[in-house]
Amino acid sequence: MDLNWLRDFECLARTLNFTRAAEERNITQSAFSRRIKALESWVGLPLVNRATYPIQITDAGRQFLPVALGAISQLAETRQSIRDANGTGDGFVRISVLHTISANYLANRIENMQQEISGLRTRVISDSLSSCCELLVEGAVDIMLCYYHHAVSPRIDDAGFSRKNLLTDHLIPVAAADRVRRHAWHLSATDGPPIPYLAYEQSSFLGMVVDSTVGQMPMNVETIYVDSLVETIKRRLLQGGGFAWMPETAIATELAQGALVPIGDEAWRAQLTIAALANPANFAPQARALWDRL
């Protein structure tokens, strides 16, 4: 049993649409379908009637749904009770954050704030966007940091949370400088050998931002590598493996040193906002102090 299967089923029961539920869960539809089938295999009965449109939850599914919701809630409450009883939550400001924001923005901010806030202790959980959102909604963290984009925003009902925009970032197509000089790589070029492309998973947030930015623009590229992690793709970039879209905060040093250079003009770039979400009404004093200084 995987807790994500229960969350997937809750989402599907609410939306009654595999495509919409997969988008909300931030995974591909094929992967989402496999997880629902795995849950049905575990239960031993079909939970979804796929022969109707829209799909319908079966009698077994309706019987199982409140159990799934109760399990999700009880596990979250039990986790927090155990943390509180053992003192792991006492005094720690808990933050969920995307991997690249954690490495290239939050770590430095926390180091600076620890000089300003006496006794500040933080517990940072670096994870995928869907997991970060779940942790915030469940109350397992005090603050979440993520990206916002005008066409692709976190799939979370943020009406119950306060939002604070922290920094404007840019997603830039770049490659190793020596490779660009040697092969004259530029995204505006439509002839010659295709440029090796290091891509994000299409279902990831940055993958969706790239798709939104590129749209129908013609590109003479060949995808040779796909990953979800910015830092992994960055290593391939620095080794000369191809080009990729990278957050400017993640490559500021390499751009300044000339190790990486852009291979497209403004039309190929996307603007991102690093934002924080929280419910300040529930803050302990340390969380309030950190929030005020973010």
Side-chain angles (χ1 to χ4, degrees), residues 37-51:
K37 288 180 180 177
L39 179 61
E40 290 177 316
S41 178
W42 184 87
V43 173
L45 289 169
L47 302 176
V48 181
N49 182 358
R50 298 167 175 80

Side-chain angles (χ1 to χ4, degrees), residues 65-264:
L65 181 58
V67 178
L69 295 175
I72 294 170
S73 177
Q74 186 173 0
L75 283 168
E77 292 174 3
T78 301
R79 174 181 58 190
Q80 191 56 47
S81 297
I82 291 172
R83 288 176 172 176
D84 291 343
N86 287 274
T88 55
D90 186 24
F92 278 86
V93 182
R94 299 159 300 165
I95 305 171
S96 63
V97 58
L98 298 183
H99 293 279
T100 185
I101 298 177
S102 178
N104 299 295
Y105 174 79
L106 183 60
N108 289 335
R109 290 292 296 122
I110 288 178
E111 185 174 356
N112 292 334
M113 284 187 286
Q114 283 177 327
Q115 308 301 317
E116 304 170 10
I117 305 172
S118 176
L120 176 63
R121 296 190 294 172
T122 55
R123 188 179 303 278
V124 176
I125 303 170
S126 300
D127 213 320
S128 66
L129 179 59
S130 59
S131 294
C132 289
C133 290
E134 286 165 2
L135 289 168
L136 179 67
V137 171
E138 293 172 0
V141 297
D142 302 297
I143 301 169
M144 178 182 77
L145 267 66
C146 62
Y147 281 121
Y148 272 81
H149 178 262
H150 68 87
V152 186
S153 295
R155 297 184 179 92
I156 183 174
D157 180 6
D158 58 6
F161 300 99
S162 296
R163 173 179 163 185
K164 180 181 289 190
N165 292 338
L166 308 178
L167 180 73
T168 298
D169 203 350
H170 296 89
L171 203 60
I172 306 173
V174 296
D178 59 340
R179 298 277 283 179
V180 173
R181 286 192 295 268
R182 190 183 315 158
H183 301 291
W185 285 347
H186 199 279
L187 290 176
S188 62
T190 56
D191 56 357
I195 307 173
Y197 178 26
L198 313 174
Y200 297 108
E201 288 282 1
Q202 281 191 316
S203 61
S204 69
F205 180 82
L206 292 181
M208 290 186 284
V209 172
V210 171
D211 285 346
S212 172
T213 302
V214 173
Q216 301 302 313
M217 297 168 68
M219 292 195 301
N220 183 25
V221 305
E222 179 184 7
T223 302
I224 63 167
Y225 182 77
V226 179
D227 205 317
S228 298
L229 294 178
V230 170
E231 294 305 316
T232 306
I233 292 179
K234 179 180 174 179
R235 284 197 290 270
R236 292 290 305 270
L237 273 177
L238 293 172
Q239 293 167 359
F243 91 98
W245 270 269
M246 296 292 293
E248 190 172 14
T249 53
I251 56 170
T253 300
E254 289 77 13
L255 286 173
Q257 295 174 345
L260 295 176
V261 296
I263 65 165

